[in-house]
Amino acid sequence: MKLPTALRSRRTLVALITASIAVILVTGVGVYGIIIGSRESAAPIGPSPSSTGPAAQPSRESPVQPSRIPTIPHSTVAETFARGVATALFTWDTGSGFLPLDYAEVILEVADPTGTEQPGLAADIATYMPTQDAWAQLRQCATSQRLEITSAHVPDTWANALAQARPGQLPAGAAAFTIAGIRHRSGLWNGDQVSAKQEFAFTVFIACPPDDSCYVLRLSQLNNPLR
């Protein structure tokens, strides 16, 4: 069960983490920082399907908007849960009426229940989401994004990380899955439907305690996964 105090102010947490992300990325905290060491800031996610050309047409939003973003299904199966996290991280629609913070909240709903890793996880998520300014530009093109997973496996180096971890350093059931796939984006440009795709890989660090649902610990830098 998640601690109420750890879940009470997710939106504020994400906003603060987004504002101070450079500092957090340099210092590094939690299990991912311990295992991997300090990391560099992730490259920004690309803008709209085309970065040059005439002004985009106004967005064409569906008159029926979803009332909420799909949640990540609870699971005791590590790979199933990791795939669910990846899908939630890479799936969004600028015409849905939601903002990047709303999509980030979905992942924080299944974060470390002790709250220890939540600040670091919020910082990780922020590097995957468009900024508010980029979101506004993408929204003009009615841009949406979805994920196609091509593989999910436990990286070879994870066994070494487990062997080198001190007693109590990692939570019960700690696991890592490197997810590879294709990020698909689509939108409108000058009245035409356009699309773009890009291959990616990253690692999801999770924990699946015995007889309990899995939860997220941290995310690696995009395209810098454990091998």
Side-chain angles (χ1 to χ4, degrees):
M1 297 291 293
K2 291 180 172 56
L3 301 180
T5 55
L7 304 177
R8 192 171 298 152
S9 303
R10 283 201 187 86
R11 185 178 298 275
T12 302
L13 173 64
V14 178
L16 291 174
I17 292 300
T18 302
S20 59
I21 189 170
V23 175
I24 295 175
L25 290 178
V26 171
T27 57
V29 294
V31 61
Y32 181 61
I34 292 172
I35 296 172
I36 308 301
S38 62
R39 66 185 210 186
E40 298 177 357
S41 176
I45 296 176
S48 56
S50 176
S51 58
T52 61
Q57 298 293 324
S59 63
R60 301 178 183 174
E61 299 177 11
S62 170
V64 179
Q65 303 297 341
S67 60
R68 62 175 300 172
I69 301 170
T71 58
I72 298 172
H74 292 283
S75 179
T76 58
V77 180
E79 181 177 341
T80 299
F81 181 74
R83 284 173 173 265
V85 173
T87 298
L89 183 64
F90 282 87
T91 303
W92 46 256
D93 185 348
T94 59
S96 65
F98 297 109
L99 297 173
L101 293 180
D102 299 313
Y103 288 97
E105 241 185 299
V106 171
I107 302 172
L108 289 172
E109 286 283 349
V110 290
D112 174 16
T114 69
T116 302
E117 298 296 339
Q118 286 194 18
L121 177 60
D124 297 337
I125 297 169
T127 67
Y128 284 79
M129 295 289 176
T131 64
Q132 293 290 350
D133 289 342
W135 189 265
Q137 295 176 6
L138 292 167
R139 193 168 184 269
Q140 294 178 23
C141 300
T143 306
S144 62
Q145 180 173 280
R146 65 178 179 86
L147 174 66
E148 175 188 350
I149 296 176
T150 55
S151 68
H153 67 278
V154 177
D156 294 338
T157 52
W158 181 243
N160 293 333
L162 291 176
Q164 295 173 11
R166 299 186 301 274
Q169 183 178 1
L170 299 176
F177 280 86
T178 292
I179 310 282
I182 302 172
R183 182 179 65 188
H184 296 268
R185 280 190 181 180
S186 61
L188 296 173
W189 191 252
N190 293 330
D192 296 325
Q193 188 74 31
V194 295
S195 62
K197 61 183 181 180
Q198 184 178 25
E199 294 184 352
F200 75 92
F202 76 111
T203 301
V204 183
F205 297 90
I206 64 175
C208 296
D211 303 320
D212 203 352
S213 296
C214 302
Y215 58 87
V216 193
L217 294 170
R218 298 292 299 269
L219 307 172
S220 78
Q221 184 182 29
L222 182 64
N223 292 326
N224 188 23
L226 289 186
R227 303 293 182 180

